[in-house]
Every structure is written in structure tokens, then in C-alpha cells.
Amino acid sequence: MFWFIRNLRRELKTLIFVCLMIPTILCAQEYRVFFGTYNRENDAKGIYVSDFNADSGELSPPQRAVEVDNPYFLTLSKKSDFLYAVGGEKKDFLFAYHSHLDKKEGVLESLNSLGDLGRSVCHLTLDASERFILTAHYGSHEIALFSLKPDGSIEKEAQRQKFEGKGPNAQRQDAPHPHGVLFLPGTNLFYVPDLGTDRIMIYRLDAEKSAFAPNDPPFVQVAPGSGPRHMSFHPYLKVAYVVNELSNTVCVFSIESNGGLKEIQTISTLPKDWSGENTAAEVAVEPFGRFLYASNRGHDSVARFKIANDGTLTFLETTSVEGKTPRHFALDPSGKFLIVANQDSNNITLFRVEEGAPKFIKALEIPAAPVCVAFAELHKIEHLSEETTTDEAIRLDDLIRMRLEATTLRDVGGLAQRCFDLLENPETEKEIRPFLAAIAENAVLQQAEVVVPQLSNLGEQGIQNAKGLVLEMRRTLEKVLKHSPQSIAGHLYYALILEEERKINAPKDERSDGASQNDGAEKVRYSVEALEHLEQGLELAFQGDFAIENKDIVTQALLLKTMWLCENNIESAIQSIEKIQTFNPEAFQNLRTIYIQLLAKMGDDSRFCEEIEKQIAEAEKDPTQKKVLFELRRLKMLRLIEQQKFEGALEVVQQLREDIPENNELAQMEFMLLGMLGRRDEALERINALIEREPISSQLYLSRAKLFYDDKNVEKALEDLEKCAVFDPSNMEAYLLKWDILQKEGRVDEAIKDAEKLASENPDDFEFNFGLVLIFVSAERYGVAVEHLEKMNEKWDFASVFDEKADANSQTQDTQTADDNRARARRFYLVASDCYLNIGNRREAKDCYEKLLRLAPDYHLALNNLAWIMSTAPEDDLRSKDAVEFATKACELHPDPGYFSTLAAAYAEAGDFEKALEIIQKAIDLAKEKKQDEMVEALLNEKSFYDARKPFREPAEAEPQADSNAE
């Protein structure tokens, strides 16, 4: 085929992911922003507040909301109706305030405070029920738990826990210094980064007992001298991030089921070329889980990291905070803005976040030293009519408030569930059901808009880990469609989530091999249901103006439909892409290459050629379409190569190289085409130039070696292969070519000696040991090959791939995934079965073929040879009437005279000689058609057995038949 459908599906999913990744604003657009401070002057001390409009990006100058000594750290309740602070002058206090966000003056009303907390209380957090507050006490080496009253005020201290230990940094780690405390969302687990002991302590809160106790495990240790300070959690992955103040790093942890933390990465917060003094301070993940930020004091910057599907980080860049000593920062709930508290420059700085990158907007002075930022939403609720005093009005008002106060995905999910519960209640008034359905639909689709595209971008392991989320999302979308059957976006997201569920439910072996019939059946089952929802949604979208008004959503739907159809109904897939052009021509510009790929797959050369020339001409007119133009020309080149029109392909390559002369891939393509055209001198000239530019590229030496060997220049080919081995000792392709050349030149012993040397020097390397076996097979020394194979099986225990528990404990599991082990086992059993067959050991050959088919159920050669053994073996216990099933499948997959011969033998073994004669005649006719005279003679001999009503038997002393088209 011209283009691989797997790549096409991958490109389509990438486009769908890009279309979906539009951050959804899950909250109101107006905020009050509170700032905790350190005293600079007595008349300036206090908590400050600014008004912030997230639509315009306007931040008002900070004004003092309340006078209080050194309010180091602040935290707000979920509804932002209560604010709590820790601070003080000589003795630290815990303060509770009622926040009146609708007022311009008197924003904070003091409820009460509690003193004698200890020294340098630096952090606090609320539990999920908002009945308790936890505080971290840096100076007095402890944490404390406080209970709250229903009115938000502080009730009493419930428990205090002293820490012990120290770290290697004598100045900063002479004692424990708990610096943060944070609950794992949705649990009673909380974590305490202890800067002094290089530990993250882990506890569980028992709300009924108003107490906490150590978790099991009670802590995790980080690298000595790191100084863990603050912590943040990923919004949907089971991953935690800890910023280390002293080592200027971020540690990435996977969160275990027992609450423990397993470190998977440590990465610097600073650019590689930075050598000054610095201490890291704050860490935060943006609401959609795509980026992580950490602040640097000294470098005075915010570092930005890309978060991968497994939660690991890639350092992207640092952005100046436009101030000095960024002790703290916070992102607004939409993730669109970032505000930094710069302690030593007495200013706060505002940044707009564009594609994850902070862009500086403005700096504002503040009288006290800012050290903490906390966002509180302003909820503008339109009150219902005064005449509306029924239970219905109370319920609607309650739901409206819940909707406006939903600032996280969890809040939105709770709101949707509340609506669904009311909809399922038969006593709920008929008049308000449409309203409830509308709120639920809106809430769930906001969840889906964030969650579903993230799921579609996860790898195999990631999607397995997210199984619960996938199933819950599917069930929730089913409820949406039950109560809002006309929901266009609901149908679309439901189709998307079905694809993620299919991945999860595919059997393990099928997910890795991707070629089983059962997996194909699963794809069909899921795609049929997905297409039904897509068709419903698209039909509704095009009945009115929805497609025009919601171009991105409908484009995404058509792309998904294209992905499902491109394997089995290419014409309909093409029509889906073409439809996008009718209402969203801008999006179609980015789909040109996929459109061309679909035309190529359809096989209509005239239409393909006409369309690709048209698309190239269009792209040439638009300077912004250079990448698209390059890809279109590349597709044209590949098509010409498939058609063996090498002159035309070379012309396109040379055209592409004019634009990108340094592109090695194009240069190698040009070299390859010159070789195909027999212009070897030019080809040699091109590759010599490439080698001169990259004198240590093993792949270039390998390519030149092939050219030399084609020109019968054996010694130069071998010389280049030696260089290839020097620059890349693991390049098995080079070794195999070298050994093949030596064998063809009659230097078999030299090839074996070289392979034996490499295998002995690398006894734990599968490839070198397997390469040695392949030489013996090529030299038809099957007995020696079997000896080496049996030694390899003792070492790697390939049978363990059929036992998950054994596989997990295998010697290779430390460095190879289970999929790698299965791939090795497939190769092993493929070669081993052939070797055993050729030395006449049918029993071992049969065992190897059976194992091979468990790993590759559609491998026709194995199906055929196993069926031959089961039909013709002289040993009674090896034969089986199941041979008909295997041989039939082999013939369906690969019609061949030898395979039909096996099928005839299988019917004869089953006693159906009439069917055997019918099939053997078909084999004879096919062999004659292919002019395989020797095969015809052998088949006539077999036919004589069936004419005599006898099954065909291999002589006990003879080697069993090998397939005529062995691969």
C-alpha cells in the first residue's frame, strides 16, 4: 500500500486532539486577589486585595483589606467565603476571616484568632470537609491540626506533631523544617514536605476522631540536601510534584495505591548555563495538566515544564518575573493568568498565559513585601423574582449558585450528578426538568472538553491507568444523551470515549500485536456504535446553523468519522474530509495532506494526481503553508516511488532539497533514487558528500556499503561496514549485511567466527546471540542452530511470556517491557520451529509453531506448517483433525499451491478424500499457472494417495516438507 493506515489514524487523532485542546473556562471571570505580606513598615502591614478582571486582564492596585502582622500564608474556602491566614510578630497566630466579596470596603471581617502556634508558621491548608485546618511550623519543627466551627471560626487546637531529624546542609538543615502541608484531593491523605530532613511525611486524617496518624509508608526520602519545600498534584494523573528549595529541582512522584510516593524523575528548575545563587520556592500545575511552573529566587524567574502523558517533565524555558525574589505565585482558575509575589522588590507582576507560556502584562507596587497570592471568585447572581417562593425556586437558586461556584472539574462533576439525581427522581416537577437537563449537559460537556482529549493522547499504559475515569466519563455521557438526546456535542464525546474504552478492553496480547481477529471484531463493534452517534450528531448539526457557529466541534466530528471509516469505507472517509471544506475552509488547509493520503489509499491515480497538483498549486500561493507544501510534495514523491517512476520522484526530491538543502533524509532519498536509476557515480558522489558532512554517521556508511556491494566492490563494502560497527556497535543491520556478504563470497567460516566473537563478548545481548543463530540457519547448519537456540531459551526463558507472573520476574524484565519480550519470543519461535522442522524433530517443531501462533495468530506460514505436521506426521500422537481449521485459515490468508496441498492433506487425515481430491486439484492447477513444475510433480504424487483413499504420510526418516514460499 502507498500509505500506512496506522500512520493515517495517528495523524487524525493528533488533529482531533489539537481541535479539542481549547481550555474551557470553568468559572466566573472576575476575581478578588488577596496578598499575604511581610511587614516593611508598621503602617503598611496587613493582607492586601486587588480586583482582577480575567476578560480584560485588568488588575487594580492592591489595597489593604485588614491590618495584621506578617500574614505569611493565606488559604480560602472552596466558595471563597472564608479566608484563613498564619502570621504574627513575636508569636505566631492563626486568623479566621469572613470574606465579603460583594463589598468594596470591609472585604475581610475578623471572626477570631488563635495564638501561641510556635515559631515561623509558614503554610496552612483546609481539609475537603472544611472542618479542619492543618498548619506547618518551620521554626518549631512541627505541624498542628485545628478544628473549625460551622460559622467558619476557629474552634480549638486538636493535635500537634513534633518532627525529628536533620539533613546534610548544616546551615539550613540543622533540624526538621516542615514547609508545606497539602491534602491529596478527594482523600484523607496529606503530605508535609520537610526541608530539614529531606523527607515528605505522609499522614491520614481521621475526621471523626479529630486526629491524624502516620500513613504506611510514613514518608518518602528525597536526595540528601534537596530541601523539599512545596508540593502540587496533577489534576487527573496519579502524580505529585515537589519543589526542592536547596537543590533547585522538582521531583516527580507517582502516587501509589497505599498513599506512598515513588520517585520517577528529578529535574532542575534552572537553565543549564546558570551558575549564580538560587533557591526554588513555589510549584504549581495549570488546571488542564499540560504544564508545570516553579519559581526561582536569585535567577528571579518562573520555570515552565511540559508534562508528558506519564506525568514526567521536560524543561521548556524560564520567564523573568520582572521583580526580585518570587516567593510565591498562583494561576487563576482558568489557567489564563499568573500572578507573582516578588518579596524583595515590593511588587506583584501579572502575566497572561498563552499556550502555556507566561507573557508579562504589568507590575504593581505594594507597600508591604508580598509573599503569597490567593484567588477568590466574585459570583454575580441574579436573584429570582420575589414572587417565586416555592421549593422549585429554592432548588433552582441552589443549582445556579452551584454552577457559578464550580471552579474545578470535581465541582462540575458534583453539580452534574446533583442534576441527574433530580432528573431520576419521579417527584421532580416536570416544568424544571429541561432546566436540570441543560445544566447537567453543560457541566458534563465542560468535563468532557478537558478530560476526553487528554485521554486520547495517553499511551497504552496511561489509558489502562485511567480505566476508571474512562468508564465514569462514558456512564456520565450516557446520562446526558438519555436526558438530552439532541445534544450534538454529547454524541461526539460519547463516540470519542468509546474509542478509549475499546483500547482498555482489547486483550493484552491483542493490544500489543494489533493484528488479531478478535481485536478486529472489537474495533468493528465499537466503531459501529461510535459511527451511529457521529451520524446522529452531524445530522443535527447540519439541520441548522450549528455547523457554521461551532466549526471546531463539527470539524472534529468529521475527522473522527474519517478515522473510523478510512480502513473499510475509504470513499465515505474522503467525503467526510471534503465536507469540512464546505463550512470550514481554514481547517481544510491543515487537512490537505490527510486528504491526499486518503485519495492515494483509494487507488484512483488520476484523481490523486489531479488533486495533489491542485493542492500543491494552492499551497504555493500561501507563504504560511510551507510545511503543508513540503508534506504534499513528499507524498507526491512517495507515490511516484510506489509506481516505480523514479525519474519523477528524483525530480521532486531535488525540488525539495532546493528549499531544505541540509535535510539529511532528503539527501539520502536522492542517493537512493540515483542508485535505483543506475546512476551509481552520482549516487556515490551524493553519499560521499553526506559522509564528509557527518563523518561519524553509521547509517551513512551502511548505505554506502550497500552501494559498493551492488557494484561488486566487496572489500570496500566490508570496510564501510567495519566503520559502521565502530560508530554504532549495536547496529545489527550492518552485522547481518556483513555476514551475508561473507557467506555469499564463500567465507562462511569467517562470518561464523565473527558472529561467535560478538556473541561471546555480549553474552546478555539477545540480538548478537540471535544473529549468530541466523548465520547457522543461512548456512543450513540447523543442528548447530538448534543447540544455540536451546541455550538462548535457557537464558531468556521465552515460554515465560505466556505467564504474566513469570514474565514479570524474567531476567529481561528489568530492561525490557512485556511487549519487547513477546516480540523477541515471536522471532525465537519463528526460527526455532523452522530449525526443528529441518532436522526432522516434528515434536519440537509442533510445540514451537503452537507457541508462535499464540503470539501471532494470523501468521500463515506457522498455520500451514503446523497443519502439515498434524496431517502427515508418521507419529500417531502428533496428528490431529484440527489441522483442517489451521490449513483453511492459512489458505485464506495466503492462497498458495503449497498451502492448498496442506489443506488437502488435512482433509485426507480427517477421512474426507473427496474434499482432499478437490483441493489437491486446485493446488495442481495453481502450480501449473505459476509454472512451478517441481511442485506440480510433488502434488501429483500426493494426489495418488488420495485416489487410493489413503492419507499422505511423511517418511519417518525423511525431513518434513517445508513451505514452497517460506518467508
Side-chain angles (χ1 to χ4, degrees), residues 11 46 112 124 138 151 158 175-176 355 508 556 649 658 758 850 926 949-950:
E11 292 196 33
N112 69 339
L124 77 164
Y138 182 94
D151 65 359
E355 296 299 319
K508 188 175 182 181
Q556 168 193 329
E658 289 178 8
L758 285 167
E850 287 172 341
L926 188 56
R949 297 299 189 267
K950 293 180 181 179

Side-chain angles (χ1 to χ4, degrees), residues 368-474:
V371 293
C372 182
V373 183
F375 280 90
E377 292 183 76
L378 290 175
H379 302 310
K380 294 184 177 180
I381 302 176
E382 295 182 6
H383 295 287
L384 299 175
S385 168
E386 291 182 3
E387 291 108 9
T388 312
T389 58
T390 64
D391 290 342
E392 173 187 327
I394 296 170
R395 181 180 297 160
L396 294 180
D397 185 54
D398 182 43
L399 290 172
I400 291 170
R401 289 179 185 276
M402 285 182 67
R403 183 68 193 88
L404 292 170
E405 292 169 358
T407 60
T408 68
L409 291 180
R410 185 173 287 103
D411 294 341
V412 171
L415 169 66
Q417 189 56 53
R418 173 87 176 269
C419 291
F420 287 135
D421 290 343
L422 290 169
L423 286 166
E424 296 297 328
N425 186 344
E427 297 182 2
T428 299
E429 295 87 344
K430 181 179 179 181
E431 291 76 12
I432 69 168
R433 285 180 176 275
F435 176 80
L436 294 172
I439 287 187
E441 177 189 4
N442 178 266
V444 173
L445 293 180
Q446 286 193 323
Q447 276 188 307
E449 193 170 358
V450 175
V451 172
V452 175
Q454 299 280 8
L455 290 171
S456 67
N457 203 42
L458 293 177
E460 180 184 321
Q461 189 57 50
I463 196 66
Q464 289 297 311
N465 292 339
K467 182 176 180 179
L469 180 60
V470 170
L471 298 179
E472 181 59 31
M473 197 78 249
R474 195 250 299 157

Side-chain angles (χ1 to χ4, degrees), residues 512-762:
S512 61
D513 295 337
S516 89
Q517 288 184 332
N518 289 338
D519 190 40
E522 285 290 283
K523 287 182 180 179
V524 169
R525 181 171 73 83
Y526 277 100
S527 65
V528 167
E529 189 175 356
L531 279 169
E532 287 177 358
H533 286 278
L534 287 173
E535 294 289 3
Q536 284 181 267
L538 289 169
E539 183 180 354
L540 292 168
F542 285 104
Q543 285 178 0
D545 295 330
F546 186 93
I548 300 298
E549 295 171 357
N550 300 273
K551 292 180 180 179
D552 292 339
I553 295 175
V554 179
T555 298
Q556 168 193 329
L558 287 166
L559 283 170
L560 181 62
K561 181 180 176 182
T562 301
M563 185 182 72
W564 280 115
L565 292 174
C566 62
E567 291 185 9
N568 303 312
N569 192 337
I570 191 68
E571 185 63 41
S572 294
I574 290 171
Q575 289 172 3
S576 293
I577 288 284
E578 289 175 337
K579 197 162 190 176
I580 293 172
Q581 191 174 19
T582 64
F583 71 94
N584 196 355
E586 296 86 1
F588 184 78
Q589 299 300 314
N590 297 320
L591 301 175
R592 287 171 171 172
T593 56
I594 290 176
Y595 180 48
I596 295 299
Q597 291 169 28
L598 290 169
L599 290 175
K601 184 178 184 296
M602 189 169 65
D604 187 339
D605 284 339
S606 61
R607 186 176 175 186
F608 170 84
C609 294
E610 178 184 348
E611 191 61 39
I612 198 166
E613 293 299 338
K614 174 184 172 183
Q615 296 298 334
I616 287 174
E618 289 292 324
E620 285 175 336
K621 296 175 185 177
D622 188 349
T624 66
Q625 294 289 306
K626 286 185 178 180
K627 289 184 179 179
V628 173
L629 179 60
F630 177 88
E631 183 61 20
L632 288 169
R633 285 175 173 162
R634 190 182 71 85
L635 292 173
K636 179 181 177 181
M637 171 196 69
L638 292 173
R639 184 63 168 172
L640 290 169
I641 291 173
E642 188 192 61
Q643 295 173 328
Q644 298 189 357
K645 296 178 180 179
F646 301 131
E647 288 284 1
L650 179 61
E651 183 181 335
V652 178
V653 170
Q654 291 173 337
Q655 187 179 26
L656 289 169
R657 288 205 66 203
E658 289 178 8
D659 295 330
I660 316 177
E662 301 299 317
N663 187 295
N664 279 349
E665 182 182 350
L666 290 174
Q668 290 188 54
M669 183 64 74
E670 183 183 18
F671 148 74
M672 181 194 76
L673 288 167
L674 287 168
M676 290 177 175
L677 291 167
R679 295 158 61 176
R680 299 191 180 280
D681 290 341
E682 291 179 69
L684 187 59
E685 180 183 338
R686 295 292 191 281
I687 200 164
N688 284 341
L690 284 170
I691 289 175
E692 185 175 345
R693 195 162 70 207
E694 291 190 47
I696 61 171
S697 171
S698 63
Q699 202 60 35
L700 290 176
Y701 285 111
L702 177 59
S703 297
R704 190 168 71 175
K706 293 175 182 177
L707 182 63
F708 280 138
Y709 188 56
D710 288 342
D711 282 340
K712 311 301 181 187
N713 196 334
V714 173
E715 293 308 318
K716 282 196 173 183
L718 291 173
E719 183 181 330
D720 269 356
L721 291 172
E722 288 293 341
K723 291 178 182 177
C724 180
V726 169
F727 296 125
D728 183 5
S730 63
N731 192 328
M732 279 306 299
E733 186 182 359
Y735 291 118
L736 291 173
L737 178 59
K738 175 184 176 182
W739 298 332
D740 184 55
I741 291 173
L742 289 172
Q743 289 180 86
K744 288 178 179 176
E745 294 298 311
R747 297 156 64 177
V748 177
D749 290 341
E750 187 178 342
I752 291 174
K753 184 177 179 181
D754 186 60
E756 286 179 331
K757 179 175 179 293
L758 285 167
S760 64
E761 291 173 352
N762 301 275

